[in-house]
Amino acid sequence: MSGLDAQDTALALFGLIVVVTLSVTWWAARRTRTSEQFWAAGRAITPTQNGLAITGDFLSAAAFLGSTGLIFLFGFDGTIYLLFPLAAFVPVLLFYAERMRNLGTFTLNDVLLSRFRNTVIRRILAVSTLVITGLYLLAQLVAAGALFQLLAGVPFPVAVMVTSVIMLLYVTIGGMLATTWVQLIKAIALLSVLVLLIVLAIVQIRGGFGAWFAAATAPAGRINPARPGNFFGNGWNAFSTGLALIFGVIGLPHVMMRFFTVPDATSARRSATRALLFLAMATFMVITVALAARIVLSGQSGAIAASGNINVVAPLLGEMLGGGPGTVGGGIVLALVSAVAFATILAVVAGLLINASSAVVRDLWPQRGGARRAADGKGDPEVKRARIVSVVIAVVMACVTVLAGPKPYVSVLVTLALGIAASANFPALTLTLFWRRFTAAGAITGISVGLLSSAVLMLLGPTLWPGAAPSPVSLIDPTIISLPLGFAGCLVGTWLSRRRGAMEPDEDAVFDAMRRRSMLGPDDGVKPSPAVSGSDSGQLPASRNQGAG
Amino acid sequence: MSTSSSHSWNQLSPDPFTVLRARQRQAVTLLGTIFFGWFGLFLTLAAAAPAVMQTRWGPVSLGWVYALTLIPLAVLVALAYARFANRVLDPLRTQIRSGAVVR
């Protein structure tokens, strides 16, 4: 009876979301012919649209479902998972957004390659991109499967397959334009659902925000939600996770990729500002929703903690606020929250897939001459290869997810991906932009050391360690060790290559030209003088990123 | 600071790109220090001094109140930089680009 109604409503809403987003994909397909259209949406996204899309990337299953659950169960510790990704946008805005747009073509990797034209760097960055997006994809697909299974009664493997197929349709048919619009639609839907939950909560819970806040953070059961350390156990874990979240975002390929979909650096800066504003609203609302859940669902915290599935807190809160289990209102709100959470996952996995395929097609296995042949009207071979690679990646990831099963905490898995991004990509990216004496060898060593150390520490850590016994490493997140190691790798590699005398003849001129271009863009006010421009244009990517009509 | 006053005396026309870099560095240093200081203190206290974060003032605890100040702080820092970039940095960039045509 009513339980079935909620499932039917949820499935109908899932269907509606899929139909709407696939229509958008169809529309985008007609605007996706060249590689610039496929990877960067033709550079025609506006700052507000891009800001919303970036917000959407962050409001993944981890942020919306995972953080709500973590705050609900553990209190204070959960806020770190929300506040630090938001915080990351301040350094992104101050140091990275404009520079990356000025230097890169399609991806984060292009930025490093604009200074060091080095095949090894290209390959190794592609590997780190694949590892990061792979872990992130795993987290999202696990969440999708668990959600689908719980709310629609579909078995986990089937749910994962359905999600993967829809993700593939977005990416292969509509490219980055479809991926961006799906993300936009979902961001608006999710923000609206958060507003709805808060309005319902304000209507139902008596007292003002102060009384609310006091009730939600008062000790309940064995947990004192005001105490740091309920989830992390010790300070090292908290610190490490904070570092991973703030610096991981800067090295996160699928989010940084969005800064290349706008026409110029000023638009990139405005995207970052707007993303931060939208994210600030969202963060505030998710925290409020989680606090409301602590009041409304206080009777069920024991059962939810025992089940280990913290991702159901937000949907269950919706059900309670709509009128309770078994009522029509409860069923509708439950279905709405679940459907939007599902849309969230779909939008995020699409962005991840397109990013992973760019790493393979453009960096791991590049082929020349695509743009020229595209101009002949025969279709861009790079786009064709991107579609094939996307299918392969999606199949592999779906199988891995089914094997992994619905267990792990989604927020923690995402933080592992961020930890790798913070340890492997962030140090090399930062030193490439700001350190004159940095060398290609330094970048290679730094990326490898960061990648290997974070990956090994994770495999030995409590989240991924397969054995039943306590894992050899007790850190939940390895960033506090692997991020300094990544920087140390960069420094040692640079020092060793300098000692061997690997000084390029005009590397000062190359650095100066890169710095100038990073702040001014392609039109950097320097007339090409023969002495400098030879090395300059040789070091920079050929594409000058004209905004396409 | 001393550098900002000296360049106008020592050089008749300072390189506009040097000016752009100096202005940007000033803004970024100020905003970056505020931001990293406030967030760093939060993370350090949460990690190293959980007892301090549990300090209660009536119904609320220091940790939660601190957490909620981080959101407006991030917004204010971002808006301040955006405003500075629009009003100061962008005109300087335009000037540098148009200067190249004259040269």
Side-chain angles (χ1 to χ4, degrees):
Chain A
M1 23 164 283
S2 331
L4 240 176
D5 289 344
Q7 280 194 0
D8 291 346
T9 321
L11 280 176
L13 283 171
F14 288 163
L16 180 69
I17 285 170
V18 172
V19 167
V20 169
T21 49
L22 284 180
S23 318
V24 169
T25 308
W26 197 253
W27 163 83
R30 286 183 289 136
R31 288 161 180 75
T32 304
R33 300 257 188 274
T34 67
S35 54
E36 183 162 61
Q37 289 164 342
F38 187 83
W39 300 122
R43 319 241 185 241
I45 305 292
T46 69
T48 306
Q49 290 170 346
N50 198 31
L52 261 178
I54 292 169
T55 308
D57 270 325
F58 272 90
L59 293 176
S60 63
F64 176 44
L65 301 177
S67 307
T68 313
L70 285 174
I71 295 178
F72 173 75
L73 274 191
F74 302 105
F76 178 84
D77 282 359
T79 62
I80 288 182
Y81 281 96
L82 284 168
L83 292 169
F84 280 79
L86 167 69
F89 273 86
V90 173
V92 165
L93 174 66
L94 294 185
F95 301 103
Y96 297 94
E98 292 169 278
R99 288 187 172 89
M100 297 211 312
R101 181 62 189 83
N102 277 331
L103 292 176
T105 315
F106 294 128
T107 61
L108 190 73
N109 306 2
D110 296 338
V111 178
L112 278 85
L113 293 167
S114 76
R115 180 168 169 190
F116 306 113
R117 274 176 85 83
N118 182 308
T119 330
V120 182
I121 296 188
R122 185 182 277 271
R123 298 274 149 79
I124 207 165
L125 276 170
V127 171
S128 87
T129 299
L130 281 178
V131 174
I132 295 162
T133 44
L135 259 178
Y136 218 106
L137 257 176
L138 176 66
Q140 303 297 322
L141 288 175
V142 164
L147 193 71
F148 229 132
Q149 183 183 33
L150 200 92
L151 298 156
V154 181
F156 183 77
V158 178
V160 172
M161 291 301 166
V162 170
T163 313
S164 307
V165 168
I166 300 172
M167 151 179 97
L168 251 181
L169 290 176
Y170 293 156
V171 170
T172 51
I173 298 175
M176 193 64 181
L177 186 59
T179 308
T180 304
W181 273 94
V182 169
Q183 195 61 273
L184 253 165
I185 294 169
K186 162 246 149 151
I188 293 169
L190 184 50
L191 291 173
S192 315
V193 162
L194 286 169
V195 171
L196 172 74
L197 286 177
I198 290 173
V199 169
L200 287 174
I202 289 172
V203 171
Q204 291 207 1
I205 306 173
R206 277 156 224 276
F209 190 77
W212 235 51
F213 190 69
T217 58
R222 284 171 297 139
I223 292 284
N224 174 4
R227 194 180 86 89
N230 291 326
F231 176 69
F232 292 120
N234 62 51
W236 295 115
N237 280 327
F239 205 85
S240 197
T241 305
L243 284 185
L245 292 168
I246 203 163
F247 296 114
V249 169
I250 297 168
L252 202 58
H254 78 281
V255 173
M256 291 304 130
M257 190 177 189
R258 295 214 172 273
F259 288 110
F260 300 102
T261 62
V262 293
D264 54 30
T266 305
S267 311
R269 180 180 79 223
R270 293 188 178 142
S271 311
T273 316
R274 278 161 215 188
L276 194 140
L277 294 180
F278 290 128
L279 264 174
M281 283 195 296
T283 302
F284 182 73
M285 291 199 287
V286 173
I287 290 180
T288 311
V289 165
L291 290 177
R294 283 196 55 82
I295 300 174
V296 173
L297 299 175
S298 56
Q300 300 179 43
S301 58
I304 292 170
S307 76
N309 191 348
I310 60 167
N311 299 324
V312 299
V313 171
L316 286 182
L317 174 71
E319 188 178 35
M320 281 308 259
L321 290 176
T327 63
V328 176
I332 290 173
V333 183
L334 170 69
L336 194 63
V337 174
S338 323
V340 169
F342 183 63
T344 290
I345 296 169
L346 282 179
V348 173
V349 289
L352 287 163
L353 180 63
I354 200 167
N355 191 247
S357 88
S358 93
V360 175
V361 170
R362 288 178 40 81
D363 295 328
L364 216 51
W365 183 31
Q367 282 173 12
R368 298 249 152 229
R372 228 172 301 124
R373 266 175 287 163
D376 302 342
K378 289 196 172 173
D380 194 330
E382 184 167 303
V383 175
K384 194 189 273 175
R385 292 196 307 129
R387 291 184 167 131
I388 298 169
V389 168
S390 302
V391 175
V392 175
I393 296 173
V395 170
V396 170
M397 283 314 299
C399 296
V400 171
T401 311
V402 169
L403 289 175
K407 295 242 155 95
Y409 280 2
V410 178
S411 298
V412 180
L413 271 182
V414 164
T415 316
L416 293 187
L418 283 161
I420 297 183
S423 313
N425 293 1
F426 164 69
L429 174 70
T430 305
L431 295 178
T432 300
L433 288 176
F434 299 108
W435 192 28
R436 182 181 288 274
R437 292 184 52 79
F438 197 35
T439 62
I444 295 166
T445 345
I447 298 164
S448 329
V449 169
L451 183 60
L452 282 176
S453 61
S454 51
V456 167
L457 286 168
M458 271 170 207
L459 290 172
L460 298 176
T463 311
L464 298 181
W465 180 249
S471 57
V473 173
S474 64
L475 269 180
I476 299 176
D477 186 281
T479 313
I480 198 168
I481 299 172
S482 54
L483 173 65
L485 281 178
F487 267 111
C490 289
L491 299 186
V492 170
T494 302
W495 180 66
L496 286 177
S497 63
R498 289 277 173 214
R499 244 173 48 130
R500 289 210 325 249
M503 179 91 177
E504 300 289 327
D506 45 27
E507 62 173 35
D508 266 343
V510 168
F511 181 79
D512 284 334
M514 183 207 74
R515 188 168 64 185
R516 194 173 176 96
R517 198 160 99 94
S518 78
M519 293 180 74
L520 294 169
D523 177 21
D524 59 5
V526 175
K527 279 190 187 165
S529 72
V532 180
S533 76
S535 61
D536 176 2
S537 55
Q539 291 285 338
L540 298 169
S543 166
R544 287 273 156 148
N545 317 340
Q546 246 72 60
Chain B
M1 284 198 299
S2 62
T3 49
S4 63
S5 63
S6 64
H7 73 66
S8 57
W9 292 107
N10 296 342
Q11 295 161 286
L12 276 174
S13 56
D15 173 23
F17 183 64
T18 314
V19 176
L20 172 69
R21 286 190 56 218
R23 298 305 305 269
Q24 186 175 42
R25 198 184 307 129
Q26 286 167 6
V28 158
T29 309
L30 173 69
L31 294 172
T33 310
I34 295 172
F35 167 80
F36 280 110
W38 196 236
F39 270 77
L41 181 67
F42 175 79
L43 194 57
T44 310
L45 284 177
V52 176
M53 287 301 231
Q54 283 182 72
T55 314
R56 278 196 175 266
W57 297 316
V60 296
S61 70
L62 174 64
W64 272 96
V65 172
Y66 200 156
L68 291 181
T69 65
L70 295 177
I71 302 175
L73 178 86
V75 168
L76 287 178
V77 167
L79 288 179
Y81 181 75
R83 195 180 152 96
F84 180 78
N86 280 331
R87 296 196 167 187
V88 179
L89 300 181
D90 280 356
L92 272 171
R93 286 193 181 104
T94 315
Q95 195 191 323
I96 294 171
R97 290 193 190 111
S98 60
V101 179
V102 177
R103 234 187 280 163

